[in-house]
Structures are given as structure tokens and as C-alpha cells.
Amino acid sequence: MRVTIADVAREAGVSKTTVSRVINTKGEVDRSTAARVREVIAQLGYVPSSGAVGLARGSSRTVGMLVPSLTWPWMGELLQGVVDTVEAADYGLLLFTCNRGAESVQRFTSQVSARAFDGLVVVEPENTLGHLTELHRGGLPIVLIDDRGHHPEFPSVVTTNHEGGASAARHLRAAGRTRPLVLTGPRNFGCVRDRRDGFHSVLPTDLVVEGDFTERGGRLAVEELLARGAEFDSVFAHNDISAAGVLRALRAAGRRVPDDIAVVGFDDIPMAEHTEPPLTTVRQPTRRMGETAARMLLSRLGGTPVPDGPAVLPTELVVRHSAP
């Protein structure tokens, strides 16, 4: 059985409060008593809870991270950026997902109430911004990654989605493409609006289909358009997963990429290099986004003010064979 602070107190003949003071170097404890407590701790192999020690000292030295799901294709790179940064600062990381909806949010909220972490990095789960804003107003330091156009009152890290869409359009226009199809993500996402508007500022088109960021959605959208006889010479898909579905549908229909139809995605997830043909895409600096958000949060925890507005990181067009 695990050795408890009560076991140490009983063996040393002191109160639990005295043991706690020795562990946390708080309060005045007689030197001989403190030495006896430390000797008992060593003999019994007692390991204090890092969370309890942190709370006693006013800090858990732990950062929380809240995300919708770990299945998002770019989440691994983002998470690695956060982990690398917090571990380098000798902090731990508590990871929360919202896979179980309200139940997950309730479990996360209980950890906030227990002060299990000092601050929070967030990729906003659906319909949680109001709750996060309340936590921020209550004193919890929060940094949001990809604000979805919501512009929260606490710091965030975003990318140049508008410019990313514009760069895709400039590339297609330079290649002589004049009839593009734009396959968006869900219209309520701010990044979707920015990518669409950036593309249209360079290469306007009436052929716009709202997608759902899935491979199946991309495939079905193109299959339907081809069945209707729609004519387009290029596709700008708002993420690489739906672009993969586009490539699959075009290949099944006997359309050559890029000779007949060029395809550009968005994100530059690892899969993009391995589609057939390899995908031209707009790269988001995903790992750097995680690193930047974690650094901002750690600066705030260290007492350094950080801007309330977003930190903006640039996108980059990566040219491969699907749209040379």
C-alpha cells in the first residue's frame, strides 16, 4: 500500500501539519524535528504528491491543455510543440479532450476547481468559448490556438489564413487556371471564411461548395459536381484530408492531376507528401503554433505581461506535383 503523510507523522511522532511544513519548507520547525521527519520519509519511502506540494507552494508547475480530439490530423505536431516547450521549462502537462461531450467538460471543470494546473492551452472544443472566457475572468491564464475568428479577450495564436488562401489562388492563376472549385470547411469556422476570402481576392469563382474537412466529403463533392457536368480546371480544398478525397474522386473519374485538374490543399500534414500525386498545399506552422502558445502561457505564469491580441504566424505555399 502507498505510504501516506499520516504514516510519516505517526512514525515520527509529529502532526501531519509538521510533516507538511518540512516537505514544503514552510513555517518554523525545530531542526532536530525536521531531521527526524526527513529520516522517516527516507525509511518509509514516502513520495509526496507533486500536485499537493505544488498547491502548498502556490503553484502546481503543471500546464493544462484542452483539445476537441486527438484524432485531428495535425494535432500530434501541435501537441509536440506544447510538450517540448513546457517540459523544457520543467513543467508537466495535463491533457484533456472533449470526446465525451458534456461529461468531458465536467471532468475538465473539476480539475480546474481542484487547481490541478496553473494555466491552460486550448484548441477550442465546440461551444466552450463562453466557459473558457469565464475561467479567464476568474483568474485562470489561458492561451487559445486558432481562435476560429472569435477574437477572445485572452491571448491567442493564429496563422495567416487569408494570405494562405490568396497564395493558393496566385499559384493557380500563374499556372493559367481560370475555373477553380473552392471546397471549404464548415462556414462557421473563422479560418474557413479567411481562406475563402483570401482566395477570392485573387481568383474569384462562383463554384464554391461547403465541405466538412473529411476525405469522404471531398470525394463526394467532386463526384457530384462531375456527375452534373460542372467544369473546373483546379480545386482549392480547405484542408489536406478533403483534398485527398478530391484526388481519389478525380482519379476514379479518369481525370489527370495536374494535367486536367490541379489540386491545392491546406495544412501540410505528413500525408500530403504521400498522396498520388504528392499534394501542393499551404503549410500551417503547426508545431510552432504549439510552441508559441506554450511560451506565451509560461511567460504569463512567470509574471511577464503578454498581449491580449493574437500572435500571428505566417503560412507558406508548398509546391508539389498536384499543382506544379
Side-chain angles (χ1 to χ4, degrees):
M1 294 179 62
R2 180 177 177 179
V3 178
T4 68
I5 195 170
D7 297 328
V8 174
R10 183 171 52 253
E11 185 69 22
V14 299
S15 69
K16 290 191 290 184
T17 300
T18 298
V19 176
S20 179
R21 286 175 176 169
V22 172
I23 293 170
N24 294 292
T25 63
K26 276 194 169 186
E28 294 185 3
V29 179
D30 178 80
R31 291 179 64 181
S32 63
T33 301
R36 184 167 73 255
V37 170
R38 293 191 186 99
E39 183 179 350
V40 170
I41 287 174
Q43 289 174 348
L44 297 181
Y46 172 62
V47 180
S49 162
S50 59
V53 172
L55 289 176
R57 294 176 178 170
S59 168
S60 68
R61 293 201 67 80
T62 300
V63 168
M65 185 171 182
L66 176 66
V67 302
S69 171
L70 295 178
T71 60
W72 289 15
W74 44 264
M75 190 61 72
E77 281 290 299
L78 186 77
L79 178 59
Q80 193 64 57
V82 173
V83 168
D84 290 345
T85 305
V86 301
E87 287 187 348
D90 199 26
Y91 271 70
L93 182 70
L94 278 178
L95 180 63
F96 304 90
T97 71
C98 281
N99 289 326
R100 296 180 179 271
E103 179 185 339
S104 297
V105 173
Q106 184 177 7
R107 183 178 296 120
F108 161 73
T109 301
S110 70
Q111 294 298 305
V112 176
S113 301
R115 297 171 60 196
F117 49 86
D118 301 330
L120 186 65
V121 175
V122 181
V123 179
E124 181 197 342
E126 200 72 28
N127 302 317
T128 59
L129 184 59
H131 181 49
L132 294 170
T133 301
E134 289 180 8
L135 292 175
H136 169 72
R137 291 173 179 171
L140 180 67
I142 297 176
V143 177
L144 185 66
I145 298 176
D146 185 3
D147 67 10
R148 298 193 182 181
H150 292 160
H151 309 298
E153 60 188 53
F154 45 84
S156 62
V157 178
V158 300
T159 56
T160 52
N161 285 296
H162 188 281
E163 170 55 28
S167 68
R170 284 194 295 269
H171 182 70
L172 291 174
R173 185 179 64 182
R177 309 290 174 159
T178 59
R179 301 187 308 279
L181 158 66
V182 175
L183 178 61
T184 76
R187 69 181 68 185
N188 60 311
F189 281 24
C191 64
V192 168
R193 296 191 296 271
D194 289 344
R195 292 171 193 178
R196 180 197 61 208
D197 293 348
F199 188 92
H200 285 177
S201 70
V202 175
L203 192 56
T205 180
D206 293 329
L207 192 55
V208 179
V209 176
E210 181 178 356
D212 59 4
F213 282 153
T214 68
E215 190 274 349
R216 181 176 184 273
R219 175 170 49 84
L220 292 179
V222 169
E223 287 176 353
E224 181 179 341
L225 287 171
L226 292 176
R228 283 167 31 197
E231 295 187 2
F232 50 95
D233 60 11
S234 53
V235 180
F236 172 47
H238 277 200
N239 75 335
D240 293 342
I241 292 294
S242 57
V246 169
L247 291 174
R248 182 178 174 186
L250 292 174
R251 184 165 57 250
R255 303 298 180 94
R256 298 171 300 166
V257 177
D259 295 355
D260 299 327
I261 299 175
V263 179
V264 178
F266 206 107
D267 286 336
D268 195 29
I269 61 176
M271 179 200 71
E273 290 187 271
H274 305 293
T275 56
E276 181 54 46
L279 185 64
T280 293
T281 186
V282 179
R283 174 182 294 158
Q284 290 198 91
T286 312
R287 182 174 296 208
R288 189 176 161 205
M289 291 170 72
E291 294 169 346
T292 301
R295 280 198 302 269
M296 290 171 68
L297 181 60
L298 292 172
S299 294
R300 170 69 177 79
L301 296 178
T304 302
V306 296
D308 290 334
V312 183
L313 303 182
T315 53
E316 175 189 0
L317 183 71
V318 180
V319 178
R320 299 191 180 99
H321 299 311
S322 70

mmCIF file of all heavy atoms in Angstrom, residues 253-300:
data_model
loop_
_atom_site.group_PDB
_atom_site.id
_atom_site.type_symbol
_atom_site.label_atom_id
_atom_site.label_comp_id
_atom_site.label_asym_id
_atom_site.label_seq_id
_atom_site.Cartn_x
_atom_site.Cartn_y
_atom_site.Cartn_z
ATOM 1 N N ALA A 253 -12.579 9.062 -61.800
ATOM 2 C CA ALA A 253 -13.311 9.570 -62.966
ATOM 3 C C ALA A 253 -12.429 9.665 -64.204
ATOM 4 O O ALA A 253 -12.887 10.124 -65.258
ATOM 5 C CB ALA A 253 -13.889 10.942 -62.639
ATOM 6 N N GLY A 254 -11.169 9.265 -64.091
ATOM 7 C CA GLY A 254 -10.264 9.311 -65.236
ATOM 8 C C GLY A 254 -9.704 10.691 -65.521
ATOM 9 O O GLY A 254 -9.148 10.908 -66.611
ATOM 10 N N ARG A 255 -9.816 11.601 -64.587
ATOM 11 C CA ARG A 255 -9.246 12.946 -64.766
ATOM 12 C C ARG A 255 -7.802 12.941 -64.269
ATOM 13 O O ARG A 255 -7.505 12.466 -63.168
ATOM 14 C CB ARG A 255 -10.057 13.987 -63.993
ATOM 15 C CG ARG A 255 -11.529 14.025 -64.372
ATOM 16 C CD ARG A 255 -11.738 14.406 -65.834
ATOM 17 N NE ARG A 255 -13.150 14.428 -66.166
ATOM 18 C CZ ARG A 255 -13.910 15.520 -66.134
ATOM 19 N NH1 ARG A 255 -13.384 16.678 -65.748
ATOM 20 N NH2 ARG A 255 -15.188 15.450 -66.457
ATOM 21 N N ARG A 256 -6.918 13.491 -65.088
ATOM 22 C CA ARG A 256 -5.497 13.503 -64.752
ATOM 23 C C ARG A 256 -5.165 14.721 -63.899
ATOM 24 O O ARG A 256 -5.587 15.835 -64.195
ATOM 25 C CB ARG A 256 -4.652 13.508 -66.012
ATOM 26 C CG ARG A 256 -4.823 12.264 -66.905
ATOM 27 C CD ARG A 256 -4.116 12.455 -68.223
ATOM 28 N NE ARG A 256 -4.664 13.621 -68.946
ATOM 29 C CZ ARG A 256 -4.092 14.196 -69.998
ATOM 30 N NH1 ARG A 256 -2.939 13.750 -70.454
ATOM 31 N NH2 ARG A 256 -4.665 15.231 -70.588
ATOM 32 N N VAL A 257 -4.393 14.490 -62.852
ATOM 33 C CA VAL A 257 -3.917 15.561 -61.973
ATOM 34 C C VAL A 257 -2.394 15.625 -62.100
ATOM 35 O O VAL A 257 -1.708 14.610 -61.915
ATOM 36 C CB VAL A 257 -4.307 15.275 -60.504
ATOM 37 C CG1 VAL A 257 -3.744 16.353 -59.576
ATOM 38 C CG2 VAL A 257 -5.815 15.171 -60.348
ATOM 39 N N PRO A 258 -1.842 16.765 -62.501
ATOM 40 C CA PRO A 258 -2.499 18.075 -62.643
ATOM 41 C C PRO A 258 -2.885 18.429 -64.077
ATOM 42 O O PRO A 258 -3.358 19.538 -64.314
ATOM 43 C CB PRO A 258 -1.401 19.018 -62.158
ATOM 44 C CG PRO A 258 -0.139 18.381 -62.671
ATOM 45 C CD PRO A 258 -0.363 16.901 -62.536
ATOM 46 N N ASP A 259 -2.667 17.539 -65.054
ATOM 47 C CA ASP A 259 -2.865 17.916 -66.453
ATOM 48 C C ASP A 259 -4.279 18.437 -66.709
ATOM 49 O O ASP A 259 -4.455 19.494 -67.334
ATOM 50 C CB ASP A 259 -2.590 16.711 -67.363
ATOM 51 C CG ASP A 259 -1.139 16.271 -67.316
ATOM 52 O OD1 ASP A 259 -0.340 16.966 -66.645
ATOM 53 O OD2 ASP A 259 -0.814 15.238 -67.914
ATOM 54 N N ASP A 260 -5.271 17.698 -66.231
ATOM 55 C CA ASP A 260 -6.658 18.133 -66.432
ATOM 56 C C ASP A 260 -7.112 19.090 -65.323
ATOM 57 O O ASP A 260 -7.742 20.116 -65.600
ATOM 58 C CB ASP A 260 -7.592 16.919 -66.468
ATOM 59 C CG ASP A 260 -7.255 15.961 -67.605
ATOM 60 O OD1 ASP A 260 -6.802 16.441 -68.661
ATOM 61 O OD2 ASP A 260 -7.442 14.743 -67.425
ATOM 62 N N ILE A 261 -6.827 18.715 -64.112
ATOM 63 C CA ILE A 261 -7.292 19.488 -62.954
ATOM 64 C C ILE A 261 -6.173 19.545 -61.907
ATOM 65 O O ILE A 261 -5.659 18.496 -61.495
ATOM 66 C CB ILE A 261 -8.565 18.870 -62.331
ATOM 67 C CG1 ILE A 261 -9.694 18.856 -63.364
ATOM 68 C CG2 ILE A 261 -8.985 19.631 -61.072
ATOM 69 C CD1 ILE A 261 -10.959 18.157 -62.890
ATOM 70 N N ALA A 262 -5.799 20.743 -61.519
ATOM 71 C CA ALA A 262 -4.797 20.926 -60.463
ATOM 72 C C ALA A 262 -5.496 20.956 -59.105
ATOM 73 O O ALA A 262 -6.642 21.393 -58.993
ATOM 74 C CB ALA A 262 -4.018 22.215 -60.684
ATOM 75 N N VAL A 263 -4.791 20.495 -58.074
ATOM 76 C CA VAL A 263 -5.379 20.431 -56.729
ATOM 77 C C VAL A 263 -4.407 21.036 -55.712
ATOM 78 O O VAL A 263 -3.223 20.679 -55.692
ATOM 79 C CB VAL A 263 -5.714 18.982 -56.327
ATOM 80 C CG1 VAL A 263 -6.307 18.946 -54.911
ATOM 81 C CG2 VAL A 263 -6.691 18.355 -57.336
ATOM 82 N N VAL A 264 -4.956 21.922 -54.862
ATOM 83 C CA VAL A 264 -4.186 22.528 -53.765
ATOM 84 C C VAL A 264 -4.945 22.293 -52.462
ATOM 85 O O VAL A 264 -6.162 22.480 -52.399
ATOM 86 C CB VAL A 264 -3.984 24.042 -53.981
ATOM 87 C CG1 VAL A 264 -3.215 24.658 -52.807
ATOM 88 C CG2 VAL A 264 -3.242 24.304 -55.285
ATOM 89 N N GLY A 265 -4.222 21.878 -51.418
ATOM 90 C CA GLY A 265 -4.825 21.672 -50.104
ATOM 91 C C GLY A 265 -4.401 22.752 -49.122
ATOM 92 O O GLY A 265 -3.921 23.818 -49.499
ATOM 93 N N PHE A 266 -4.585 22.449 -47.848
ATOM 94 C CA PHE A 266 -4.215 23.386 -46.795
ATOM 95 C C PHE A 266 -3.869 22.591 -45.537
ATOM 96 O O PHE A 266 -4.595 21.668 -45.177
ATOM 97 C CB PHE A 266 -5.376 24.341 -46.477
ATOM 98 C CG PHE A 266 -4.955 25.671 -45.902
ATOM 99 C CD1 PHE A 266 -5.017 26.826 -46.677
ATOM 100 C CD2 PHE A 266 -4.498 25.779 -44.599
ATOM 101 C CE1 PHE A 266 -4.634 28.062 -46.157
ATOM 102 C CE2 PHE A 266 -4.117 26.990 -44.065
ATOM 103 C CZ PHE A 266 -4.186 28.146 -44.846
ATOM 104 N N ASP A 267 -2.779 22.916 -44.890
ATOM 105 C CA ASP A 267 -2.279 22.373 -43.618
ATOM 106 C C ASP A 267 -0.871 21.817 -43.760
ATOM 107 O O ASP A 267 -0.033 22.029 -42.909
ATOM 108 C CB ASP A 267 -3.163 21.246 -43.034
ATOM 109 C CG ASP A 267 -4.453 21.759 -42.430
ATOM 110 O OD1 ASP A 267 -4.498 22.938 -42.039
ATOM 111 O OD2 ASP A 267 -5.419 20.969 -42.359
ATOM 112 N N ASP A 268 -0.609 21.036 -44.820
ATOM 113 C CA ASP A 268 0.643 20.296 -44.995
ATOM 114 C C ASP A 268 0.855 19.294 -43.869
ATOM 115 O O ASP A 268 1.885 19.290 -43.195
ATOM 116 C CB ASP A 268 1.856 21.221 -45.122
ATOM 117 C CG ASP A 268 3.082 20.480 -45.675
ATOM 118 O OD1 ASP A 268 2.880 19.513 -46.435
ATOM 119 O OD2 ASP A 268 4.226 20.862 -45.335
ATOM 120 N N ILE A 269 -0.126 18.427 -43.680
ATOM 121 C CA ILE A 269 0.038 17.325 -42.740
ATOM 122 C C ILE A 269 0.973 16.294 -43.383
ATOM 123 O O ILE A 269 1.197 16.323 -44.600
ATOM 124 C CB ILE A 269 -1.316 16.686 -42.379
ATOM 125 C CG1 ILE A 269 -2.007 16.112 -43.628
ATOM 126 C CG2 ILE A 269 -2.217 17.708 -41.687
ATOM 127 C CD1 ILE A 269 -3.304 15.379 -43.322
ATOM 128 N N PRO A 270 1.580 15.376 -42.613
ATOM 129 C CA PRO A 270 2.552 14.436 -43.185
ATOM 130 C C PRO A 270 2.031 13.651 -44.387
ATOM 131 O O PRO A 270 2.792 13.339 -45.305
ATOM 132 C CB PRO A 270 2.858 13.502 -42.005
ATOM 133 C CG PRO A 270 2.681 14.370 -40.802
ATOM 134 C CD PRO A 270 1.513 15.277 -41.142
ATOM 135 N N MET A 271 0.739 13.347 -44.405
ATOM 136 C CA MET A 271 0.157 12.597 -45.510
ATOM 137 C C MET A 271 0.297 13.304 -46.846
ATOM 138 O O MET A 271 0.313 12.662 -47.913
ATOM 139 C CB MET A 271 -1.327 12.344 -45.225
ATOM 140 C CG MET A 271 -2.080 11.587 -46.286
ATOM 141 S SD MET A 271 -3.869 11.845 -46.165
ATOM 142 C CE MET A 271 -4.010 13.551 -46.698
ATOM 143 N N ALA A 272 0.399 14.640 -46.832
ATOM 144 C CA ALA A 272 0.377 15.410 -48.081
ATOM 145 C C ALA A 272 1.518 15.030 -49.021
ATOM 146 O O ALA A 272 1.381 15.122 -50.239
ATOM 147 C CB ALA A 272 0.418 16.910 -47.770
ATOM 148 N N GLU A 273 2.633 14.610 -48.468
ATOM 149 C CA GLU A 273 3.765 14.195 -49.305
ATOM 150 C C GLU A 273 3.537 12.845 -49.962
ATOM 151 O O GLU A 273 4.258 12.488 -50.893
ATOM 152 C CB GLU A 273 5.040 14.118 -48.465
ATOM 153 C CG GLU A 273 5.593 15.446 -48.010
ATOM 154 C CD GLU A 273 6.936 15.269 -47.328
ATOM 155 O OE1 GLU A 273 6.958 15.062 -46.110
ATOM 156 O OE2 GLU A 273 7.970 15.328 -48.039
ATOM 157 N N HIS A 274 2.550 12.090 -49.475
ATOM 158 C CA HIS A 274 2.414 10.695 -49.901
ATOM 159 C C HIS A 274 1.121 10.404 -50.651
ATOM 160 O O HIS A 274 0.814 9.239 -50.925
ATOM 161 C CB HIS A 274 2.509 9.790 -48.672
ATOM 162 C CG HIS A 274 3.753 10.018 -47.867
ATOM 163 N ND1 HIS A 274 5.012 9.709 -48.334
ATOM 164 C CD2 HIS A 274 3.937 10.578 -46.633
ATOM 165 C CE1 HIS A 274 5.911 10.042 -47.431
ATOM 166 N NE2 HIS A 274 5.293 10.573 -46.393
ATOM 167 N N THR A 275 0.357 11.449 -50.996
ATOM 168 C CA THR A 275 -0.798 11.233 -51.855
ATOM 169 C C THR A 275 -0.311 10.960 -53.276
ATOM 170 O O THR A 275 0.872 11.084 -53.588
ATOM 171 C CB THR A 275 -1.720 12.473 -51.845
ATOM 172 O OG1 THR A 275 -0.966 13.632 -52.239
ATOM 173 C CG2 THR A 275 -2.319 12.692 -50.462
ATOM 174 N N GLU A 276 -1.253 10.601 -54.151
ATOM 175 C CA GLU A 276 -0.888 10.332 -55.546
ATOM 176 C C GLU A 276 -1.685 11.252 -56.460
ATOM 177 O O GLU A 276 -2.883 11.045 -56.645
ATOM 178 C CB GLU A 276 -1.156 8.863 -55.876
ATOM 179 C CG GLU A 276 -0.777 8.462 -57.294
ATOM 180 C CD GLU A 276 0.670 8.800 -57.631
ATOM 181 O OE1 GLU A 276 1.560 8.512 -56.821
ATOM 182 O OE2 GLU A 276 0.883 9.373 -58.723
ATOM 183 N N PRO A 277 -1.054 12.277 -57.039
ATOM 184 C CA PRO A 277 0.340 12.680 -56.839
ATOM 185 C C PRO A 277 0.522 13.441 -55.528
ATOM 186 O O PRO A 277 -0.465 13.834 -54.905
ATOM 187 C CB PRO A 277 0.586 13.595 -58.050
ATOM 188 C CG PRO A 277 -0.743 14.222 -58.310
ATOM 189 C CD PRO A 277 -1.752 13.147 -58.021
ATOM 190 N N PRO A 278 1.777 13.663 -55.093
ATOM 191 C CA PRO A 278 2.023 14.447 -53.875
ATOM 192 C C PRO A 278 1.336 15.807 -53.960
ATOM 193 O O PRO A 278 1.296 16.438 -55.014
ATOM 194 C CB PRO A 278 3.541 14.569 -53.837
ATOM 195 C CG PRO A 278 4.030 13.351 -54.572
ATOM 196 C CD PRO A 278 3.036 13.140 -55.678
ATOM 197 N N LEU A 279 0.809 16.242 -52.825
ATOM 198 C CA LEU A 279 -0.124 17.362 -52.793
ATOM 199 C C LEU A 279 0.573 18.711 -52.613
ATOM 200 O O LEU A 279 1.336 18.911 -51.667
ATOM 201 C CB LEU A 279 -1.112 17.154 -51.647
ATOM 202 C CG LEU A 279 -2.255 18.152 -51.495
ATOM 203 C CD1 LEU A 279 -3.189 18.099 -52.696
ATOM 204 C CD2 LEU A 279 -3.020 17.868 -50.195
ATOM 205 N N THR A 280 0.284 19.630 -53.513
ATOM 206 C CA THR A 280 0.616 21.036 -53.287
ATOM 207 C C THR A 280 -0.335 21.572 -52.225
ATOM 208 O O THR A 280 -1.544 21.323 -52.284
ATOM 209 C CB THR A 280 0.468 21.853 -54.580
ATOM 210 O OG1 THR A 280 1.469 21.421 -55.518
ATOM 211 C CG2 THR A 280 0.639 23.343 -54.320
ATOM 212 N N THR A 281 0.204 22.295 -51.246
ATOM 213 C CA THR A 281 -0.641 22.696 -50.121
ATOM 214 C C THR A 281 -0.093 23.946 -49.450
ATOM 215 O O THR A 281 1.057 24.341 -49.693
ATOM 216 C CB THR A 281 -0.746 21.538 -49.098
ATOM 217 O OG1 THR A 281 -1.675 21.877 -48.078
ATOM 218 C CG2 THR A 281 0.596 21.233 -48.474
ATOM 219 N N VAL A 282 -0.912 24.557 -48.633
ATOM 220 C CA VAL A 282 -0.498 25.714 -47.840
ATOM 221 C C VAL A 282 -0.147 25.214 -46.447
ATOM 222 O O VAL A 282 -0.996 24.658 -45.752
ATOM 223 C CB VAL A 282 -1.622 26.772 -47.767
ATOM 224 C CG1 VAL A 282 -1.168 27.964 -46.921
ATOM 225 C CG2 VAL A 282 -2.021 27.229 -49.170
ATOM 226 N N ARG A 283 1.099 25.396 -46.068
ATOM 227 C CA ARG A 283 1.578 24.862 -44.792
ATOM 228 C C ARG A 283 1.228 25.790 -43.635
ATOM 229 O O ARG A 283 1.516 26.976 -43.664
ATOM 230 C CB ARG A 283 3.084 24.667 -44.832
ATOM 231 C CG ARG A 283 3.701 24.234 -43.488
ATOM 232 C CD ARG A 283 5.204 24.102 -43.605
ATOM 233 N NE ARG A 283 5.548 23.004 -44.504
ATOM 234 C CZ ARG A 283 6.724 22.898 -45.123
ATOM 235 N NH1 ARG A 283 7.636 23.835 -44.989
ATOM 236 N NH2 ARG A 283 6.953 21.858 -45.914
ATOM 237 N N GLN A 284 0.585 25.206 -42.612
ATOM 238 C CA GLN A 284 0.454 25.887 -41.330
ATOM 239 C C GLN A 284 1.631 25.467 -40.447
ATOM 240 O O GLN A 284 1.947 24.278 -40.382
ATOM 241 C CB GLN A 284 -0.840 25.492 -40.617
ATOM 242 C CG GLN A 284 -2.104 26.005 -41.248
ATOM 243 C CD GLN A 284 -3.264 25.951 -40.257
ATOM 244 O OE1 GLN A 284 -3.503 26.914 -39.553
ATOM 245 N NE2 GLN A 284 -3.969 24.847 -40.223
ATOM 246 N N PRO A 285 2.254 26.392 -39.727
ATOM 247 C CA PRO A 285 3.379 26.027 -38.859
ATOM 248 C C PRO A 285 2.869 25.408 -37.559
ATOM 249 O O PRO A 285 2.959 26.000 -36.477
ATOM 250 C CB PRO A 285 4.070 27.374 -38.630
ATOM 251 C CG PRO A 285 2.962 28.378 -38.693
ATOM 252 C CD PRO A 285 1.993 27.841 -39.713
ATOM 253 N N THR A 286 2.323 24.200 -37.659
ATOM 254 C CA THR A 286 1.549 23.626 -36.561
ATOM 255 C C THR A 286 2.371 23.462 -35.289
ATOM 256 O O THR A 286 1.931 23.836 -34.194
ATOM 257 C CB THR A 286 0.967 22.272 -36.985
ATOM 258 O OG1 THR A 286 0.352 22.400 -38.270
ATOM 259 C CG2 THR A 286 -0.069 21.798 -35.993
ATOM 260 N N ARG A 287 3.559 22.871 -35.392
ATOM 261 C CA ARG A 287 4.372 22.680 -34.196
ATOM 262 C C ARG A 287 4.768 24.026 -33.595
ATOM 263 O O ARG A 287 4.750 24.191 -32.373
ATOM 264 C CB ARG A 287 5.629 21.865 -34.509
ATOM 265 C CG ARG A 287 6.475 21.602 -33.254
ATOM 266 C CD ARG A 287 7.642 20.684 -33.509
ATOM 267 N NE ARG A 287 7.231 19.358 -33.900
ATOM 268 C CZ ARG A 287 7.953 18.253 -33.669
ATOM 269 N NH1 ARG A 287 9.101 18.334 -33.019
ATOM 270 N NH2 ARG A 287 7.535 17.079 -34.083
ATOM 271 N N ARG A 288 5.089 24.969 -34.458
ATOM 272 C CA ARG A 288 5.462 26.295 -33.961
ATOM 273 C C ARG A 288 4.287 26.973 -33.270
ATOM 274 O O ARG A 288 4.468 27.734 -32.316
ATOM 275 C CB ARG A 288 5.971 27.152 -35.125
ATOM 276 C CG ARG A 288 6.583 28.471 -34.693
ATOM 277 C CD ARG A 288 7.139 29.213 -35.880
ATOM 278 N NE ARG A 288 7.322 30.629 -35.577
ATOM 279 C CZ ARG A 288 7.340 31.585 -36.473
ATOM 280 N NH1 ARG A 288 7.201 31.276 -37.764
ATOM 281 N NH2 ARG A 288 7.504 32.833 -36.130
ATOM 282 N N MET A 289 3.072 26.711 -33.732
ATOM 283 C CA MET A 289 1.891 27.254 -33.056
ATOM 284 C C MET A 289 1.801 26.741 -31.626
ATOM 285 O O MET A 289 1.520 27.496 -30.685
ATOM 286 C CB MET A 289 0.629 26.887 -33.839
ATOM 287 C CG MET A 289 0.506 27.592 -35.175
ATOM 288 S SD MET A 289 -0.843 26.908 -36.193
ATOM 289 C CE MET A 289 -2.274 27.524 -35.314
ATOM 290 N N GLY A 290 2.057 25.440 -31.453
ATOM 291 C CA GLY A 290 2.054 24.873 -30.114
ATOM 292 C C GLY A 290 3.150 25.457 -29.247
ATOM 293 O O GLY A 290 2.926 25.789 -28.076
ATOM 294 N N GLU A 291 4.340 25.587 -29.814
ATOM 295 C CA GLU A 291 5.464 26.162 -29.068
ATOM 296 C C GLU A 291 5.167 27.601 -28.648
ATOM 297 O O GLU A 291 5.426 27.995 -27.503
ATOM 298 C CB GLU A 291 6.731 26.126 -29.928
ATOM 299 C CG GLU A 291 7.250 24.733 -30.236
ATOM 300 C CD GLU A 291 8.331 24.737 -31.297
ATOM 301 O OE1 GLU A 291 8.504 25.772 -31.980
ATOM 302 O OE2 GLU A 291 8.989 23.697 -31.456
ATOM 303 N N THR A 292 4.624 28.371 -29.580
ATOM 304 C CA THR A 292 4.350 29.782 -29.301
ATOM 305 C C THR A 292 3.293 29.939 -28.212
ATOM 306 O O THR A 292 3.431 30.756 -27.297
ATOM 307 C CB THR A 292 3.892 30.494 -30.585
ATOM 308 O OG1 THR A 292 4.918 30.378 -31.580
ATOM 309 C CG2 THR A 292 3.613 31.966 -30.327
ATOM 310 N N ALA A 293 2.235 29.144 -28.301
ATOM 311 C CA ALA A 293 1.182 29.215 -27.292
ATOM 312 C C ALA A 293 1.725 28.849 -25.913
ATOM 313 O O ALA A 293 1.409 29.503 -24.905
ATOM 314 C CB ALA A 293 0.027 28.302 -27.671
ATOM 315 N N ALA A 294 2.531 27.788 -25.852
ATOM 316 C CA ALA A 294 3.094 27.372 -24.566
ATOM 317 C C ALA A 294 4.031 28.430 -24.008
ATOM 318 O O ALA A 294 4.014 28.713 -22.799
ATOM 319 C CB ALA A 294 3.824 26.042 -24.731
ATOM 320 N N ARG A 295 4.852 29.038 -24.855
ATOM 321 C CA ARG A 295 5.757 30.099 -24.382
ATOM 322 C C ARG A 295 4.977 31.293 -23.850
ATOM 323 O O ARG A 295 5.337 31.891 -22.826
ATOM 324 C CB ARG A 295 6.701 30.543 -25.507
ATOM 325 C CG ARG A 295 7.881 29.624 -25.719
ATOM 326 C CD ARG A 295 8.975 30.318 -26.504
ATOM 327 N NE ARG A 295 8.508 30.786 -27.797
ATOM 328 C CZ ARG A 295 8.582 30.064 -28.914
ATOM 329 N NH1 ARG A 295 9.101 28.854 -28.885
ATOM 330 N NH2 ARG A 295 8.141 30.560 -30.056
ATOM 331 N N MET A 296 3.905 31.654 -24.556
ATOM 332 C CA MET A 296 3.077 32.775 -24.096
ATOM 333 C C MET A 296 2.483 32.485 -22.721
ATOM 334 O O MET A 296 2.465 33.347 -21.833
ATOM 335 C CB MET A 296 1.976 33.065 -25.110
ATOM 336 C CG MET A 296 2.480 33.661 -26.413
ATOM 337 S SD MET A 296 1.199 33.747 -27.701
ATOM 338 C CE MET A 296 0.086 34.973 -27.009
ATOM 339 N N LEU A 297 1.998 31.258 -22.542
ATOM 340 C CA LEU A 297 1.395 30.902 -21.262
ATOM 341 C C LEU A 297 2.438 30.889 -20.150
ATOM 342 O O LEU A 297 2.204 31.407 -19.050
ATOM 343 C CB LEU A 297 0.720 29.540 -21.368
ATOM 344 C CG LEU A 297 0.011 29.050 -20.103
ATOM 345 C CD1 LEU A 297 -1.092 30.024 -19.683
ATOM 346 C CD2 LEU A 297 -0.570 27.657 -20.309
ATOM 347 N N LEU A 298 3.607 30.307 -20.422
ATOM 348 C CA LEU A 298 4.663 30.258 -19.412
ATOM 349 C C LEU A 298 5.150 31.660 -19.048
ATOM 350 O O LEU A 298 5.462 31.929 -17.880
ATOM 351 C CB LEU A 298 5.823 29.399 -19.911
ATOM 352 C CG LEU A 298 5.527 27.903 -20.048
ATOM 353 C CD1 LEU A 298 6.683 27.188 -20.735
ATOM 354 C CD2 LEU A 298 5.243 27.263 -18.694
ATOM 355 N N SER A 299 5.203 32.546 -20.025
ATOM 356 C CA SER A 299 5.574 33.937 -19.738
ATOM 357 C C SER A 299 4.561 34.574 -18.799
ATOM 358 O O SER A 299 4.926 35.266 -17.839
ATOM 359 C CB SER A 299 5.668 34.748 -21.027
ATOM 360 O OG SER A 299 6.729 34.294 -21.835
ATOM 361 N N ARG A 300 3.293 34.319 -19.069
ATOM 362 C CA ARG A 300 2.237 34.855 -18.214
ATOM 363 C C ARG A 300 2.341 34.282 -16.800
ATOM 364 O O ARG A 300 2.209 35.010 -15.808
ATOM 365 C CB ARG A 300 0.882 34.504 -18.829
ATOM 366 C CG ARG A 300 -0.319 34.764 -17.966
ATOM 367 C CD ARG A 300 -0.579 36.242 -17.755
ATOM 368 N NE ARG A 300 -1.784 36.441 -16.969
ATOM 369 C CZ ARG A 300 -1.856 36.319 -15.638
ATOM 370 N NH1 ARG A 300 -0.760 36.017 -14.950
ATOM 371 N NH2 ARG A 300 -2.986 36.512 -15.000
#
